[in-house]
Amino acid sequence: MSEQIYFKIHQPFTCVYHIEDPMGVFVTLIVGSKRAALIDTGMGIGNLRQTVQAITDKPLMVINTHGHADHIGGNYQFDEVYMNPDEYRLADRFYNQTDIREIIYQQAKQRNLVPDDFNFNSYMCCRLENKRAFDCDALLDLGDIVIKPVLLPSHTPGMTGFYIEPLKLLLGGDSICSMVCLYFPEASAIQKHIEVLEKTAELPFEHILTSHSKEVLNRDNFEAFIECAKAYDEQSAYRYRDPFYRHYGGKMFIYESRKNKTAILVK
Ligand SMILES: [Zn+2]
């Protein structure tokens, strides 16, 4: 299977490539006039580095939104990857325990998603030596595009989103998305999540891209996320199991907003 087939590339804005990993996660490449930034590295089964190099030859900075397996899986393919140091503990767990990588690999195999040139040993043996501390207070200057990091500490403690000012585009990662999962031990209480959303609402964004959908969302969706969190009711929620960490799960609350947008919160 070639990389062109493995990854599906969406281009919602001229300089923004939302790259779909068929294992169920998206990474985002922003190409400025001088530099490019890759946000997250997906599951790590396909050759993401090669896919990015086919899109741009600009100097590349790779940054993780957070330390979950489906966002840092391809880190081993890059020389340096930046992340908020508050996520090191989570990322280390992924790299020190190979069981989750084995599960991801087996699922890819079952779905016939392992490319011919996949290097199983590199994938399984990789460690976090290439991680670098990301300065969440500094602006990312890509030339004609400046990106502002936005702390979103609810899904995970160091979850970092990004605001791309000229496009009025917010990259919400896993804290600002249609199905927010707060059932992991590292996740915040719902009240803290509401505070994160309300603070983020002050940014003048008009569009949102998230890590598990190709859709460009808007402020009506964002309002639904806040309404959903405020309305969360365990009594009318359903049992939910995490597809990768089977010992984790929570109560899934599905909410239809006043403007007919659906939002889901699992706690
Ligand atoms: Zn996550």
Short mmCIF file of all heavy atoms in Angstrom, two decimals, residues 45-111:
data_model
loop_
_atom_site.label_atom_id
_atom_site.label_comp_id
_atom_site.label_asym_id
_atom_site.label_seq_id
_atom_site.Cartn_x
_atom_site.Cartn_y
_atom_site.Cartn_z
N ILE A 45 1.67 4.15 11.87
CA ILE A 45 1.77 2.97 11.01
C ILE A 45 2.18 3.39 9.59
O ILE A 45 3.08 2.81 9.00
CB ILE A 45 0.43 2.19 10.97
CG1 ILE A 45 0.04 1.74 12.40
CG2 ILE A 45 0.53 0.99 10.03
CD1 ILE A 45 0.93 0.70 13.02
N GLY A 46 1.54 4.40 9.04
CA GLY A 46 1.90 4.90 7.71
C GLY A 46 3.12 5.80 7.78
O GLY A 46 3.50 6.28 8.85
N ASN A 47 3.74 6.07 6.62
CA ASN A 47 4.93 6.93 6.59
C ASN A 47 4.50 8.39 6.44
O ASN A 47 4.37 8.92 5.34
CB ASN A 47 5.85 6.51 5.43
CG ASN A 47 7.21 7.16 5.55
OD1 ASN A 47 7.34 8.26 6.12
ND2 ASN A 47 8.23 6.50 5.04
N LEU A 48 4.29 9.02 7.58
CA LEU A 48 3.80 10.40 7.59
C LEU A 48 4.87 11.36 7.11
O LEU A 48 4.59 12.33 6.40
CB LEU A 48 3.34 10.77 9.02
CG LEU A 48 2.81 12.18 9.22
CD1 LEU A 48 1.56 12.43 8.38
CD2 LEU A 48 2.50 12.44 10.69
N ARG A 49 6.11 11.09 7.49
CA ARG A 49 7.21 11.98 7.10
C ARG A 49 7.27 12.13 5.57
O ARG A 49 7.35 13.23 5.05
CB ARG A 49 8.52 11.40 7.65
CG ARG A 49 9.71 12.29 7.40
CD ARG A 49 11.00 11.58 7.78
NE ARG A 49 12.13 12.42 7.46
CZ ARG A 49 13.01 12.86 8.35
NH1 ARG A 49 12.89 12.55 9.61
NH2 ARG A 49 14.02 13.61 7.97
N GLN A 50 7.20 10.99 4.89
CA GLN A 50 7.24 11.00 3.43
C GLN A 50 6.05 11.77 2.85
O GLN A 50 6.18 12.52 1.89
CB GLN A 50 7.20 9.55 2.95
CG GLN A 50 7.75 9.30 1.59
CD GLN A 50 7.68 7.81 1.29
OE1 GLN A 50 6.63 7.29 0.92
NE2 GLN A 50 8.79 7.12 1.48
N THR A 51 4.89 11.59 3.47
CA THR A 51 3.68 12.27 3.00
C THR A 51 3.82 13.77 3.14
O THR A 51 3.47 14.54 2.24
CB THR A 51 2.46 11.75 3.81
OG1 THR A 51 2.38 10.35 3.64
CG2 THR A 51 1.16 12.40 3.36
N VAL A 52 4.36 14.22 4.28
CA VAL A 52 4.56 15.66 4.51
C VAL A 52 5.59 16.21 3.53
O VAL A 52 5.41 17.29 2.96
CB VAL A 52 4.98 15.91 5.98
CG1 VAL A 52 5.45 17.34 6.18
CG2 VAL A 52 3.82 15.59 6.91
N GLN A 53 6.67 15.46 3.31
CA GLN A 53 7.71 15.92 2.40
C GLN A 53 7.21 16.04 0.96
O GLN A 53 7.73 16.83 0.17
CB GLN A 53 8.92 14.97 2.45
CG GLN A 53 9.75 15.17 3.72
CD GLN A 53 10.82 14.12 3.92
OE1 GLN A 53 10.76 13.04 3.33
NE2 GLN A 53 11.79 14.42 4.77
N ALA A 54 6.18 15.26 0.63
CA ALA A 54 5.61 15.36 -0.72
C ALA A 54 4.77 16.63 -0.86
O ALA A 54 4.51 17.10 -1.97
CB ALA A 54 4.76 14.13 -1.01
N ILE A 55 4.34 17.20 0.27
CA ILE A 55 3.53 18.42 0.23
C ILE A 55 4.42 19.67 0.29
O ILE A 55 4.19 20.65 -0.40
CB ILE A 55 2.51 18.44 1.40
CG1 ILE A 55 1.53 17.28 1.27
CG2 ILE A 55 1.76 19.78 1.46
CD1 ILE A 55 0.61 17.09 2.47
N THR A 56 5.43 19.65 1.15
CA THR A 56 6.28 20.84 1.31
C THR A 56 7.73 20.46 1.59
O THR A 56 8.00 19.44 2.24
CB THR A 56 5.76 21.73 2.47
OG1 THR A 56 6.60 22.88 2.56
CG2 THR A 56 5.76 21.02 3.81
N ASP A 57 8.65 21.31 1.09
CA ASP A 57 10.07 21.11 1.43
C ASP A 57 10.56 22.22 2.36
O ASP A 57 11.75 22.37 2.59
CB ASP A 57 10.93 21.03 0.16
CG ASP A 57 10.77 22.27 -0.72
OD1 ASP A 57 10.05 23.21 -0.31
OD2 ASP A 57 11.38 22.30 -1.81
N LYS A 58 9.62 23.01 2.91
CA LYS A 58 10.00 24.07 3.86
C LYS A 58 10.50 23.44 5.16
O LYS A 58 10.09 22.33 5.52
CB LYS A 58 8.77 24.94 4.17
CG LYS A 58 8.16 25.59 2.93
CD LYS A 58 8.31 27.08 2.97
CE LYS A 58 8.06 27.71 1.62
NZ LYS A 58 6.68 27.66 1.16
N PRO A 59 11.39 24.16 5.90
CA PRO A 59 11.81 23.65 7.21
C PRO A 59 10.59 23.37 8.07
O PRO A 59 9.65 24.18 8.12
CB PRO A 59 12.64 24.80 7.78
CG PRO A 59 13.04 25.62 6.61
CD PRO A 59 11.96 25.46 5.58
N LEU A 60 10.60 22.22 8.73
CA LEU A 60 9.40 21.73 9.41
C LEU A 60 9.59 21.67 10.92
O LEU A 60 10.61 21.16 11.40
CB LEU A 60 9.06 20.33 8.89
CG LEU A 60 7.83 19.64 9.47
CD1 LEU A 60 6.56 20.30 8.92
CD2 LEU A 60 7.84 18.14 9.13
N MET A 61 8.61 22.18 11.65
CA MET A 61 8.59 21.99 13.11
C MET A 61 7.42 21.06 13.42
O MET A 61 6.30 21.29 12.95
CB MET A 61 8.39 23.34 13.80
CG MET A 61 8.47 23.26 15.31
SD MET A 61 8.29 24.91 16.03
CE MET A 61 8.74 24.59 17.74
N VAL A 62 7.69 20.00 14.18
CA VAL A 62 6.64 19.04 14.52
C VAL A 62 6.26 19.23 16.00
O VAL A 62 7.14 19.30 16.86
CB VAL A 62 7.12 17.59 14.29
CG1 VAL A 62 5.99 16.59 14.54
CG2 VAL A 62 7.67 17.42 12.88
N ILE A 63 4.97 19.34 16.26
CA ILE A 63 4.49 19.61 17.62
C ILE A 63 3.33 18.68 17.93
O ILE A 63 2.45 18.48 17.08
CB ILE A 63 3.99 21.07 17.76
CG1 ILE A 63 5.01 22.06 17.18
CG2 ILE A 63 3.70 21.42 19.22
CD1 ILE A 63 4.42 23.40 16.83
N ASN A 64 3.30 18.12 19.13
CA ASN A 64 2.16 17.30 19.56
C ASN A 64 1.17 18.15 20.36
O ASN A 64 1.58 18.95 21.20
CB ASN A 64 2.61 16.15 20.46
CG ASN A 64 3.51 15.16 19.76
OD1 ASN A 64 4.58 14.83 20.25
ND2 ASN A 64 3.10 14.67 18.62
N THR A 65 -0.12 17.92 20.11
CA THR A 65 -1.14 18.59 20.93
C THR A 65 -1.13 18.02 22.34
O THR A 65 -1.30 18.73 23.32
CB THR A 65 -2.56 18.41 20.35
OG1 THR A 65 -2.83 17.00 20.22
CG2 THR A 65 -2.71 19.10 19.01
N HIS A 66 -0.94 16.69 22.44
CA HIS A 66 -0.90 16.03 23.74
C HIS A 66 -0.26 14.64 23.60
O HIS A 66 0.08 14.24 22.49
CB HIS A 66 -2.28 15.97 24.39
CG HIS A 66 -3.31 15.18 23.66
ND1 HIS A 66 -3.74 15.49 22.40
CD2 HIS A 66 -4.04 14.08 24.04
CE1 HIS A 66 -4.68 14.63 22.03
NE2 HIS A 66 -4.87 13.76 23.00
N GLY A 67 -0.14 13.93 24.70
CA GLY A 67 0.67 12.72 24.71
C GLY A 67 -0.07 11.41 24.50
O GLY A 67 0.49 10.35 24.77
N HIS A 68 -1.29 11.43 24.01
CA HIS A 68 -2.01 10.18 23.76
C HIS A 68 -1.46 9.45 22.53
O HIS A 68 -0.97 10.08 21.59
CB HIS A 68 -3.52 10.44 23.59
CG HIS A 68 -4.23 10.59 24.90
ND1 HIS A 68 -5.44 11.24 25.02
CD2 HIS A 68 -3.92 10.16 26.16
CE1 HIS A 68 -5.83 11.21 26.29
NE2 HIS A 68 -4.91 10.57 27.00
N ALA A 69 -1.64 8.12 22.57
CA ALA A 69 -1.04 7.24 21.57
C ALA A 69 -1.38 7.62 20.12
O ALA A 69 -0.52 7.53 19.24
CB ALA A 69 -1.52 5.81 21.83
N ASP A 70 -2.61 8.06 19.89
CA ASP A 70 -3.03 8.34 18.52
C ASP A 70 -2.57 9.72 18.03
O ASP A 70 -2.90 10.12 16.92
CB ASP A 70 -4.56 8.21 18.39
CG ASP A 70 -5.33 8.99 19.44
OD1 ASP A 70 -4.73 9.34 20.48
OD2 ASP A 70 -6.52 9.27 19.23
N HIS A 71 -1.81 10.44 18.85
CA HIS A 71 -1.30 11.76 18.46
C HIS A 71 0.22 11.81 18.38
O HIS A 71 0.77 12.71 17.76
CB HIS A 71 -1.82 12.83 19.44
CG HIS A 71 -3.31 12.95 19.41
ND1 HIS A 71 -3.96 13.98 18.77
CD2 HIS A 71 -4.28 12.13 19.89
CE1 HIS A 71 -5.27 13.79 18.88
NE2 HIS A 71 -5.48 12.67 19.54
N ILE A 72 0.88 10.84 19.02
CA ILE A 72 2.35 10.84 19.04
C ILE A 72 2.93 9.58 18.39
O ILE A 72 4.14 9.39 18.38
CB ILE A 72 2.90 10.96 20.49
CG1 ILE A 72 2.53 9.72 21.32
CG2 ILE A 72 2.39 12.22 21.17
CD1 ILE A 72 3.24 9.67 22.67
N GLY A 73 2.05 8.74 17.83
CA GLY A 73 2.49 7.44 17.30
C GLY A 73 3.56 7.53 16.24
O GLY A 73 4.41 6.64 16.11
N GLY A 74 3.55 8.60 15.44
CA GLY A 74 4.53 8.74 14.36
C GLY A 74 5.71 9.60 14.74
O GLY A 74 6.54 9.94 13.87
N ASN A 75 5.87 9.95 16.00
CA ASN A 75 6.99 10.81 16.42
C ASN A 75 8.34 10.23 16.03
O ASN A 75 9.28 10.96 15.72
CB ASN A 75 6.97 11.02 17.95
CG ASN A 75 5.95 12.07 18.40
OD1 ASN A 75 5.05 12.42 17.66
ND2 ASN A 75 6.11 12.56 19.62
N TYR A 76 8.43 8.91 16.05
CA TYR A 76 9.72 8.25 15.77
C TYR A 76 10.22 8.51 14.35
O TYR A 76 11.39 8.28 14.05
CB TYR A 76 9.61 6.75 16.05
CG TYR A 76 8.80 5.98 15.03
CD1 TYR A 76 9.41 5.27 14.00
CD2 TYR A 76 7.40 5.95 15.09
CE1 TYR A 76 8.67 4.57 13.07
CE2 TYR A 76 6.65 5.26 14.18
CZ TYR A 76 7.27 4.56 13.15
OH TYR A 76 6.55 3.88 12.23
N GLN A 77 9.35 8.99 13.48
CA GLN A 77 9.74 9.23 12.09
C GLN A 77 10.44 10.59 11.89
O GLN A 77 10.94 10.88 10.81
CB GLN A 77 8.52 9.16 11.18
CG GLN A 77 7.84 7.80 11.20
CD GLN A 77 6.53 7.77 10.41
OE1 GLN A 77 6.19 8.73 9.72
NE2 GLN A 77 5.81 6.67 10.52
N PHE A 78 10.44 11.41 12.95
CA PHE A 78 10.98 12.78 12.82
C PHE A 78 12.18 12.96 13.74
O PHE A 78 12.30 12.29 14.77
CB PHE A 78 9.89 13.80 13.15
CG PHE A 78 8.72 13.71 12.20
CD1 PHE A 78 7.63 12.88 12.49
CD2 PHE A 78 8.72 14.40 11.00
CE1 PHE A 78 6.56 12.76 11.60
CE2 PHE A 78 7.66 14.30 10.11
CZ PHE A 78 6.58 13.47 10.41
N ASP A 79 13.08 13.90 13.36
CA ASP A 79 14.30 14.12 14.15
C ASP A 79 13.98 14.74 15.50
O ASP A 79 14.57 14.36 16.52
CB ASP A 79 15.26 15.03 13.37
CG ASP A 79 15.67 14.39 12.06
OD1 ASP A 79 15.69 13.15 11.99
OD2 ASP A 79 15.94 15.14 11.09
N GLU A 80 13.08 15.70 15.51
CA GLU A 80 12.73 16.40 16.75
C GLU A 80 11.22 16.61 16.78
O GLU A 80 10.62 16.96 15.76
CB GLU A 80 13.35 17.79 16.79
CG GLU A 80 14.83 17.85 16.97
CD GLU A 80 15.31 19.29 17.04
OE1 GLU A 80 14.67 20.19 16.46
OE2 GLU A 80 16.32 19.52 17.71
N VAL A 81 10.63 16.40 17.95
CA VAL A 81 9.20 16.67 18.10
C VAL A 81 8.99 17.45 19.40
O VAL A 81 9.49 17.05 20.46
CB VAL A 81 8.36 15.38 18.13
CG1 VAL A 81 6.88 15.72 18.27
CG2 VAL A 81 8.58 14.55 16.88
N TYR A 82 8.28 18.56 19.29
CA TYR A 82 8.04 19.41 20.45
C TYR A 82 6.70 19.05 21.11
O TYR A 82 5.74 18.70 20.42
CB TYR A 82 8.02 20.88 20.03
CG TYR A 82 9.39 21.39 19.67
CD1 TYR A 82 9.94 21.12 18.42
CD2 TYR A 82 10.15 22.11 20.58
CE1 TYR A 82 11.21 21.56 18.08
CE2 TYR A 82 11.42 22.55 20.26
CZ TYR A 82 11.94 22.28 19.00
OH TYR A 82 13.21 22.71 18.70
N MET A 83 6.67 19.16 22.43
CA MET A 83 5.39 19.02 23.13
C MET A 83 5.48 19.76 24.47
O MET A 83 6.59 19.98 24.99
CB MET A 83 5.00 17.55 23.34
CG MET A 83 5.78 16.80 24.38
SD MET A 83 5.13 15.11 24.64
CE MET A 83 5.83 14.25 23.23
N ASN A 84 4.32 20.14 24.96
CA ASN A 84 4.24 20.77 26.26
C ASN A 84 4.81 19.80 27.31
O ASN A 84 4.34 18.66 27.39
CB ASN A 84 2.75 21.07 26.53
CG ASN A 84 2.52 21.79 27.84
OD1 ASN A 84 3.37 21.77 28.74
ND2 ASN A 84 1.36 22.40 27.96
N PRO A 85 5.82 20.20 28.10
CA PRO A 85 6.40 19.27 29.08
C PRO A 85 5.37 18.68 30.04
O PRO A 85 5.60 17.60 30.60
CB PRO A 85 7.41 20.15 29.83
CG PRO A 85 7.80 21.20 28.85
CD PRO A 85 6.54 21.49 28.06
N ASP A 86 4.22 19.32 30.20
CA ASP A 86 3.17 18.74 31.05
C ASP A 86 2.62 17.44 30.47
O ASP A 86 1.86 16.73 31.14
CB ASP A 86 2.01 19.73 31.22
CG ASP A 86 2.39 20.90 32.12
OD1 ASP A 86 3.45 20.81 32.78
OD2 ASP A 86 1.65 21.90 32.14
N GLU A 87 2.97 17.13 29.22
CA GLU A 87 2.50 15.89 28.57
C GLU A 87 3.56 14.80 28.57
O GLU A 87 3.30 13.69 28.09
CB GLU A 87 2.06 16.19 27.13
CG GLU A 87 0.82 17.05 27.02
CD GLU A 87 -0.43 16.34 27.54
OE1 GLU A 87 -0.77 15.26 27.04
OE2 GLU A 87 -1.06 16.88 28.47
N TYR A 88 4.75 15.09 29.09
CA TYR A 88 5.83 14.10 29.04
C TYR A 88 5.45 12.78 29.72
O TYR A 88 5.75 11.70 29.24
CB TYR A 88 7.09 14.64 29.73
CG TYR A 88 7.91 15.62 28.92
CD1 TYR A 88 9.06 16.18 29.44
CD2 TYR A 88 7.55 15.98 27.62
CE1 TYR A 88 9.84 17.07 28.72
CE2 TYR A 88 8.31 16.88 26.89
CZ TYR A 88 9.46 17.42 27.44
OH TYR A 88 10.22 18.30 26.73
N ARG A 89 4.77 12.89 30.86
CA ARG A 89 4.44 11.70 31.63
C ARG A 89 3.53 10.75 30.82
O ARG A 89 3.74 9.55 30.76
CB ARG A 89 3.74 12.11 32.94
CG ARG A 89 3.63 11.00 33.98
CD ARG A 89 2.83 11.47 35.19
NE ARG A 89 1.49 11.94 34.83
CZ ARG A 89 0.45 11.13 34.63
NH1 ARG A 89 0.58 9.84 34.77
NH2 ARG A 89 -0.73 11.63 34.28
N LEU A 90 2.54 11.34 30.18
CA LEU A 90 1.62 10.55 29.34
C LEU A 90 2.37 9.93 28.16
O LEU A 90 2.18 8.75 27.85
CB LEU A 90 0.54 11.47 28.77
CG LEU A 90 -0.79 11.58 29.47
CD1 LEU A 90 -1.71 12.47 28.64
CD2 LEU A 90 -1.42 10.20 29.63
N ALA A 91 3.17 10.74 27.51
CA ALA A 91 3.91 10.27 26.33
C ALA A 91 4.88 9.16 26.73
O ALA A 91 5.02 8.16 26.04
CB ALA A 91 4.64 11.43 25.68
N ASP A 92 5.53 9.32 27.87
CA ASP A 92 6.46 8.29 28.34
C ASP A 92 5.74 6.97 28.58
O ASP A 92 6.28 5.90 28.31
CB ASP A 92 7.14 8.74 29.64
CG ASP A 92 8.31 9.69 29.36
OD1 ASP A 92 8.88 9.59 28.26
OD2 ASP A 92 8.61 10.53 30.22
N ARG A 93 4.52 7.05 29.08
CA ARG A 93 3.74 5.83 29.32
C ARG A 93 3.56 5.07 28.00
O ARG A 93 3.74 3.86 27.94
CB ARG A 93 2.37 6.18 29.92
CG ARG A 93 1.57 4.97 30.36
CD ARG A 93 0.26 5.37 30.98
NE ARG A 93 -0.68 5.84 29.98
CZ ARG A 93 -1.88 6.38 30.25
NH1 ARG A 93 -2.25 6.54 31.50
NH2 ARG A 93 -2.69 6.75 29.30
N PHE A 94 3.25 5.81 26.95
CA PHE A 94 3.06 5.18 25.63
C PHE A 94 4.34 4.53 25.15
O PHE A 94 4.35 3.42 24.63
CB PHE A 94 2.57 6.23 24.64
CG PHE A 94 2.56 5.75 23.22
CD1 PHE A 94 1.65 4.80 22.80
CD2 PHE A 94 3.45 6.26 22.27
CE1 PHE A 94 1.62 4.35 21.48
CE2 PHE A 94 3.43 5.82 20.96
CZ PHE A 94 2.51 4.87 20.57
N TYR A 95 5.46 5.23 25.35
CA TYR A 95 6.72 4.71 24.84
C TYR A 95 7.31 3.61 25.70
O TYR A 95 8.05 2.76 25.21
CB TYR A 95 7.72 5.86 24.64
CG TYR A 95 7.46 6.56 23.34
CD1 TYR A 95 6.71 7.73 23.29
CD2 TYR A 95 7.91 6.01 22.14
CE1 TYR A 95 6.43 8.34 22.08
CE2 TYR A 95 7.64 6.61 20.93
CZ TYR A 95 6.90 7.78 20.90
OH TYR A 95 6.61 8.37 19.70
N ASN A 96 6.99 3.62 26.98
CA ASN A 96 7.55 2.59 27.86
C ASN A 96 6.73 1.31 27.87
O ASN A 96 7.25 0.24 28.15
CB ASN A 96 7.69 3.13 29.29
CG ASN A 96 8.77 4.19 29.37
OD1 ASN A 96 9.72 4.14 28.61
ND2 ASN A 96 8.60 5.15 30.24
N GLN A 97 5.44 1.41 27.56
CA GLN A 97 4.61 0.22 27.53
C GLN A 97 4.29 -0.10 26.07
O GLN A 97 3.58 0.65 25.41
CB GLN A 97 3.30 0.45 28.30
CG GLN A 97 3.54 0.77 29.77
CD GLN A 97 2.25 1.13 30.48
OE1 GLN A 97 1.21 1.33 29.87
NE2 GLN A 97 2.34 1.23 31.80
N THR A 98 4.82 -1.20 25.59
CA THR A 98 4.64 -1.50 24.17
C THR A 98 3.28 -2.13 23.88
O THR A 98 2.91 -2.29 22.73
CB THR A 98 5.75 -2.46 23.68
OG1 THR A 98 5.78 -3.56 24.57
CG2 THR A 98 7.10 -1.77 23.65
N ASP A 99 2.51 -2.47 24.94
CA ASP A 99 1.24 -3.18 24.69
C ASP A 99 0.28 -2.37 23.82
O ASP A 99 -0.33 -2.90 22.90
CB ASP A 99 0.57 -3.57 26.01
CG ASP A 99 0.33 -2.38 26.92
OD1 ASP A 99 0.98 -1.34 26.72
OD2 ASP A 99 -0.51 -2.49 27.83
N ILE A 100 0.19 -1.06 24.04
CA ILE A 100 -0.77 -0.25 23.27
C ILE A 100 -0.34 -0.18 21.80
O ILE A 100 -1.15 -0.23 20.89
CB ILE A 100 -0.98 1.16 23.88
CG1 ILE A 100 -2.00 1.97 23.08
CG2 ILE A 100 0.32 1.95 23.99
CD1 ILE A 100 -3.39 1.43 23.14
N ARG A 101 1.01 -0.14 21.59
CA ARG A 101 1.49 -0.12 20.20
C ARG A 101 1.21 -1.46 19.52
O ARG A 101 0.87 -1.51 18.34
CB ARG A 101 2.98 0.19 20.16
CG ARG A 101 3.20 1.67 19.89
CD ARG A 101 4.66 2.01 19.91
NE ARG A 101 5.16 1.99 21.27
CZ ARG A 101 6.45 2.08 21.58
NH1 ARG A 101 7.34 2.15 20.64
NH2 ARG A 101 6.83 2.07 22.84
N GLU A 102 1.32 -2.52 20.28
CA GLU A 102 1.02 -3.85 19.74
C GLU A 102 -0.48 -3.92 19.34
O GLU A 102 -0.82 -4.43 18.28
CB GLU A 102 1.34 -4.91 20.82
CG GLU A 102 1.14 -6.34 20.40
CD GLU A 102 2.19 -6.85 19.42
OE1 GLU A 102 3.37 -6.55 19.61
OE2 GLU A 102 1.79 -7.55 18.45
N ILE A 103 -1.34 -3.36 20.19
CA ILE A 103 -2.78 -3.36 19.89
C ILE A 103 -3.06 -2.55 18.62
O ILE A 103 -3.81 -2.98 17.73
CB ILE A 103 -3.58 -2.76 21.09
CG1 ILE A 103 -3.50 -3.69 22.30
CG2 ILE A 103 -5.05 -2.51 20.71
CD1 ILE A 103 -4.02 -3.06 23.59
N ILE A 104 -2.43 -1.37 18.53
CA ILE A 104 -2.63 -0.53 17.34
C ILE A 104 -2.16 -1.27 16.09
O ILE A 104 -2.84 -1.31 15.06
CB ILE A 104 -1.88 0.82 17.51
CG1 ILE A 104 -2.57 1.67 18.58
CG2 ILE A 104 -1.82 1.59 16.18
CD1 ILE A 104 -1.79 2.89 19.02
N TYR A 105 -0.98 -1.90 16.19
CA TYR A 105 -0.44 -2.65 15.05
C TYR A 105 -1.38 -3.79 14.64
O TYR A 105 -1.67 -3.98 13.45
CB TYR A 105 0.96 -3.19 15.39
CG TYR A 105 1.49 -4.12 14.33
CD1 TYR A 105 1.90 -3.62 13.09
CD2 TYR A 105 1.55 -5.49 14.55
CE1 TYR A 105 2.36 -4.47 12.10
CE2 TYR A 105 2.01 -6.36 13.56
CZ TYR A 105 2.41 -5.84 12.34
OH TYR A 105 2.86 -6.69 11.37
N GLN A 106 -1.88 -4.53 15.63
CA GLN A 106 -2.78 -5.65 15.32
C GLN A 106 -4.07 -5.15 14.66
O GLN A 106 -4.59 -5.78 13.73
CB GLN A 106 -3.11 -6.44 16.59
CG GLN A 106 -1.93 -7.25 17.17
CD GLN A 106 -1.35 -8.25 16.17
OE1 GLN A 106 -2.00 -8.68 15.23
NE2 GLN A 106 -0.08 -8.61 16.39
N GLN A 107 -4.58 -4.03 15.15
CA GLN A 107 -5.81 -3.48 14.54
C GLN A 107 -5.53 -3.06 13.10
O GLN A 107 -6.37 -3.25 12.21
CB GLN A 107 -6.33 -2.30 15.36
CG GLN A 107 -6.94 -2.73 16.69
CD GLN A 107 -7.79 -1.64 17.33
OE1 GLN A 107 -8.08 -0.62 16.73
NE2 GLN A 107 -8.20 -1.86 18.57
N ALA A 108 -4.37 -2.44 12.86
CA ALA A 108 -4.00 -2.03 11.50
C ALA A 108 -3.91 -3.25 10.59
O ALA A 108 -4.37 -3.23 9.44
CB ALA A 108 -2.68 -1.27 11.53
N LYS A 109 -3.31 -4.32 11.13
CA LYS A 109 -3.14 -5.55 10.35
C LYS A 109 -4.50 -6.15 9.97
O LYS A 109 -4.74 -6.51 8.82
CB LYS A 109 -2.34 -6.56 11.18
CG LYS A 109 -1.34 -7.35 10.37
CD LYS A 109 -0.39 -8.06 11.28
CE LYS A 109 -0.48 -9.56 11.01
NZ LYS A 109 0.40 -10.32 11.90
N GLN A 110 -5.39 -6.21 10.97
CA GLN A 110 -6.74 -6.75 10.71
C GLN A 110 -7.47 -5.97 9.63
O GLN A 110 -8.25 -6.51 8.86
CB GLN A 110 -7.56 -6.70 11.99
CG GLN A 110 -7.30 -7.86 12.94
CD GLN A 110 -7.86 -7.59 14.34
OE1 GLN A 110 -8.74 -6.76 14.51
NE2 GLN A 110 -7.31 -8.27 15.32
N ARG A 111 -7.19 -4.66 9.59
CA ARG A 111 -7.88 -3.81 8.61
C ARG A 111 -7.07 -3.66 7.31
O ARG A 111 -7.38 -2.82 6.49
CB ARG A 111 -8.15 -2.44 9.23
CG ARG A 111 -9.15 -2.53 10.40
CD ARG A 111 -9.24 -1.23 11.15
NE ARG A 111 -9.66 -0.13 10.29
CZ ARG A 111 -9.63 1.15 10.64
NH1 ARG A 111 -9.22 1.50 11.84
NH2 ARG A 111 -10.05 2.08 9.81
#
